[in-house]
Amino acid sequence: MLSTRFPTEPALSPNCRDSLSSTSQNPGDVVYDPFMGRGTTLVEVALLGRAPFGCAINTLSQCLMDPRLDIPILDSVAECLKALTLAQETLCPEDLPTFYHPGTLREICNLRQYCIEREAKGQLDPVDQWIRMVALNRLIGYSPGFFLVYSLLSNQVVSVQSQRKITEKRQQVLPRRFVLDLILKKSKCLLGSGEAAFCDGVRAVGDRAIILTQLAHVALEISDGSVALVVTSPPFLDVVDYAMDNWLRCWFLGIDAREVTVTVPHRLDRWEAAMTEVFRELYRVLRPCGFVAFEVGEVRRGEIELETSVLRCGYGAGLAPGVVMFNDQAFTKTSNCWGIDNNVKGTNTNRNVVSNKPE
Ligand SMILES: C[S@@+](CC[C@H](N)C(=O)[O-])C[C@H]1O[C@@H](n2cnc3c(N)ncnc32)[C@H](O)[C@@H]1O
C-alpha cells in the first residue's frame, strides 16, 4: 500500500513544479544512481531512453552494469562460447566443492581464469564482459538455470560453513550443470529476436552512460548541473553487509570482498554524516529544479525513522524537502528468502524521500 506524507509544505516553486512533470517526459535526460548495486535502476533508466549514470564502491557493480549498456549481438556471444574449452584440469578453491558439482566447478574455475587473464592483458572485450556478467549472475541461485546447488538465499550467497550445513541437512546431491550451455541459454533469452527492440533502445543511450567505481560522495567525473533526476537506495545503516554477501561473485572477479570499503556505519549520527556528504555531491551534479528520490527501508524494527534522517541530510546539503512516500508491504517473496515470516523483523516498509534542488 502506498501512502504519502508531506514533511513540510511542499517547497516547489512554479518552475520546479513544471520541471517535475517534464522530468518524466524528457528522453535523453540524465538519471543518476550513486549506490547502483546490481544496476536494476539504471537498466530501467536506459530502457526508458534516459542516459544512465551510476556509481558504486564495489567493482562488481561495474562488471554487472557495463555489458548491459554496451550490449553485444547474440551471434558474437554464441561464437565466443563455442570457442571456449573449460574441461581442462585446474586448481579450484578447497571451499567451493560444497556449492558446486566437481565438473561444474572445474568449468567455473576455467572461465574465471580466462576472464582474469583477458582483463590483465587489456583484452576483455564487450563479448567477454557479457559472458562474465551472465556467469556472475548464474553463480548464485538454485533453480536449474543456475550453477549452484540449493542454498538459503536466491541472491546473496551464504558462508561456506552455512552452505556445508545446508548441504548436509538436506542430503543434497550436487547437480551437474554445464556452464557454457547455461550462459548461452540465458543469452538467447536476453539477446534473442524477441528482445531486439529493448536492446536497440538501450544501445541508443548506452554510449552516454557514465559508470563509476568509487565512493559516492566524490563523483568528480560527473559534471556540475548535468543530472535531471537521482533515484537511489543507499546502505541502510549496518543492516546488510553488501561486500561479504557478494564474496563468491567477488572471488570470481579476483577481488577480495573484505577489502571493499562499503559504507556501513553502525551509529545513526555517522550514517547521517556520510549521507550528508553524498547529498552535497548530489546537489552539485543536479541541475536547478532537479530531483532526488532517496529510498530507505525500515531498520531496527521501525524504532529508527531513517526517512527523517534523509530529510535532514538533504536539507543540510541545500535541497528542498518535497514528499515522503511509504510503501507498506505485507509478507513478500523476499521476506521469505530472508526467513522472515512475521512482518516484524526485516524491511516491511520502504520510505521514498523526494527532494529537489531549488532554482
Ligand atoms: C541498497 S544497495 C543498492 C541496491 C540497488 N538499488 C540494487 O538494485 O541492487 C546499496 C549499494 O551501495 C553500495 N555502497 C555502499 N557504500 C557506498 C559508498 N560509500 N559509495 C558508493 N556505493 C556504496 C553497496 O555496495 C551496495 O551495492
Side-chain angles (χ1 to χ4, degrees):
M1 192 183 69
L2 194 66
S3 59
T4 51
R5 290 180 209 167
F6 291 97
T8 63
E9 273 302 294
L12 298 184
S13 67
N15 280 352
C16 287
R17 218 170 288 149
D18 291 347
S19 165
L20 178 57
S21 46
S22 68
T23 294
S24 55
Q25 290 165 15
N26 279 342
D29 274 352
V30 172
V31 182
Y32 175 42
D33 183 349
F35 298 102
M36 68 181 165
R38 284 184 286 272
T40 322
T41 303
L42 295 183
V43 170
E44 284 300 321
V45 164
L47 285 169
L48 291 168
R50 275 68 176 169
F53 285 14
C55 176
I57 189 56
N58 195 338
T59 311
L60 169 63
S61 296
Q62 180 134 23
C63 297
L64 294 173
M65 203 58 243
D66 283 346
R68 288 186 292 165
L69 296 173
D70 185 8
I71 307 176
I73 58 167
L74 179 58
D75 287 350
S76 313
V77 174
E79 219 171 278
C80 180
L81 290 171
K82 205 167 161 198
L84 283 173
T85 45
L86 303 182
Q88 57 278 27
E89 285 299 325
T90 185
L91 277 181
C92 289
E94 284 173 11
D95 288 342
L96 291 184
T98 347
F99 289 83
Y100 304 105
H101 181 284
T104 308
L105 181 58
R106 189 182 318 132
E107 293 181 5
I108 292 172
C109 291
N110 278 313
L111 183 58
R112 172 182 185 265
Q113 198 56 31
Y114 167 83
C115 293
I116 289 176
E117 280 173 14
R118 296 272 291 179
E119 184 153 56
K121 291 183 197 152
Q123 293 172 347
L124 199 79
D125 62 25
V127 171
D128 295 323
Q129 289 186 40
W130 174 271
I131 291 170
R132 183 175 68 176
M133 179 275 294
V134 178
L136 283 167
N137 278 315
R138 302 291 96 189
L139 276 182
I140 308 167
Y142 47 75
S143 70
F146 293 86
F147 308 153
L148 193 70
V149 67
Y150 177 86
S151 186
L152 190 61
L153 304 170
S154 60
N155 222 331
Q156 273 110 349
V157 71
V158 296
S159 68
V160 170
Q161 293 83 341
S162 307
Q163 183 60 39
R164 200 168 286 141
K165 277 192 207 143
I166 294 168
T167 306
E168 277 166 18
K169 192 170 163 199
R170 295 172 64 98
Q171 300 189 327
Q172 298 190 109
V173 178
L174 299 166
R176 176 70 166 110
R177 301 271 158 77
F178 293 90
V179 166
L180 296 176
D181 291 351
L182 289 182
I183 295 177
L184 181 61
K185 192 172 171 202
K186 189 65 190 174
S187 299
K188 281 182 178 164
C189 242
L190 295 169
L191 304 176
S193 51
E195 304 299 321
F198 291 119
C199 293
D200 287 346
V202 170
R203 287 185 189 106
V205 286
D207 56 358
R208 288 186 55 212
I210 297 181
I211 302 298
L212 307 171
T213 299
Q214 59 191 53
L215 291 166
H217 67 281
V218 277
L220 298 179
E221 287 81 348
I222 302 181
S223 3
D224 296 2
S226 58
V227 172
L229 173 67
V230 172
V231 179
T232 200
S233 176
F236 308 158
L237 275 172
D238 53 355
V239 173
V240 178
D241 185 347
Y242 292 102
M244 286 316 288
D245 281 345
N246 280 308
W247 68 266
L248 190 54
R249 288 183 173 136
C250 287
W251 163 79
F252 189 80
L253 293 173
I255 300 169
D256 184 344
R258 285 165 302 194
E259 285 173 13
V260 180
T261 50
V262 173
T263 304
V264 278
H266 301 282
R267 280 177 30 187
L268 188 59
D269 56 345
R270 299 218 173 118
W271 188 85
E272 284 195 16
M275 292 305 132
T276 302
E277 278 196 76
V278 173
F279 267 106
R280 287 209 183 96
E281 191 65 345
L282 297 183
Y283 183 94
R284 180 186 70 74
V285 300
L286 272 176
R287 69 186 186 197
C289 291
F291 282 84
V292 179
F294 207 86
E295 187 256 358
V296 284
E298 187 180 301
V299 289
R300 315 247 160 97
R301 299 172 185 236
E303 282 155 25
I304 293 179
E305 295 186 337
L306 269 190
E307 69 278 16
T308 310
S309 297
V310 174
L311 283 164
R312 221 175 356 246
C313 300
Y315 189 71
L319 296 174
V323 62
V324 181
M325 289 181 275
F326 284 73
N327 178 27
D328 213 336
Q329 51 200 0
F331 178 72
T332 62
K333 196 174 164 197
T334 314
S335 323
N336 189 28
C337 292
W338 286 100
I340 290 163
D341 56 7
N342 54 10
N343 261 15
V344 174
K345 286 195 265 171
T347 304
N348 298 304
T349 61
N350 287 61
R351 298 103 198 272
N352 196 345
V353 181
V354 181
S355 46
N356 81 293
K357 177 170 174 173
E359 299 171 82

